[in-house]
Amino acid sequence: MKTSAFVIGIVLAAGALLSGCTPVIQAGLPDPQLTERDKQMMALAEPDEWKIPTRRSIVQYQTPEKPGTIIVDTGQNYLYYILPHGQAIQYRIASGAEYMGWTGRAEVGAMKEWPTWMPTESIMERWPQFQVYKQHGPLQGQWDNPLGARALYLFVDNKDTLIRIHGTNEPSEIGGHVSSGCIRMRDMDAIDLYNRVHVGTPVVVIS
């Protein structure tokens, strides 16, 4: 019976891999520790932040990339932080609409907690209501900031790509293709990832 069960387990695992499923090793990782400012800001967060089920899980994930690498799958809207032994932490994300998406290799060039936000020129061209930021300057880092609790700034050859991995003030959009090109995470997920990476962490964005 033990042998049969073992064989069945192998077959099921292989089937999951072939079908494109990602086998879960450990589901529902605990929330990260919060700073006092985090607690103050998160107390004001959108209710949806707390309605979204915790989806941080350790999964089987085979890749030639080294542990410590971030892989962003914009096609499936998942972000993976690569661990040793063919495992990764899986996070649900929102990514840019297909025609705005960016793919390639980069690295974390800067990291900020509760970052300020200034719309880019292209954003102000597409949405004229943001022109007002030219007068009053960036939005301060707080609970309703579009970059959320944390931001990782992606650089290529030491130049800012203007692509960020960041939290969001619209957690209900996680899982969709909605942003103007950046990678959004639930704030608690953004804090968790932020605590695991450093400036220089490699990032691979695929579609």
Side-chain angles (χ1 to χ4, degrees), residues 46-104:
E46 293 291 331
D48 285 337
E49 173 71 26
W50 309 110
K51 293 178 182 177
I52 298 173
T54 300
R55 296 195 180 186
R56 285 185 302 278
S57 300
I58 296 178
V59 300
Q60 290 183 17
Y61 191 83
Q62 297 299 324
T63 175
E65 304 297 336
K66 296 180 180 180
T69 299
I70 295 171
I71 297 179
V72 181
D73 185 340
T74 59
Q76 299 298 318
N77 274 333
Y78 283 107
L79 182 150
Y80 298 92
Y81 178 72
I82 305 304
L83 302 174
H85 312 303
Q87 299 180 6
I89 300 175
Q90 182 188 64
Y91 305 86
R92 195 71 166 135
I93 62 169
S95 58
E98 184 176 353
Y99 70 96
M100 295 180 183
W102 176 88
T103 58

Side-chain angles (χ1 to χ4, degrees), residues 61 63 65-73 78-83 88-89 91 93 102 104-111 151-154 164-166 183 185 189-190 192-206:
Y61 191 83
T63 175
E65 304 297 336
K66 296 180 180 180
T69 299
I70 295 171
I71 297 179
V72 181
D73 185 340
Y78 283 107
L79 182 150
Y80 298 92
Y81 178 72
I82 305 304
L83 302 174
I89 300 175
Y91 305 86
I93 62 169
W102 176 88
R105 287 183 171 270
E107 66 178 28
V108 175
M111 304 170 58
L152 307 178
Y153 297 73
L154 304 191
R164 283 80 172 98
I165 299 172
H166 61 83
I183 297 111
M185 308 179 74
D189 289 346
D192 185 85
L193 179 64
Y194 185 98
N195 291 345
R196 299 177 188 277
V197 304
H198 56 82
V199 171
T201 291
V203 179
V204 181
V205 181
I206 61 177

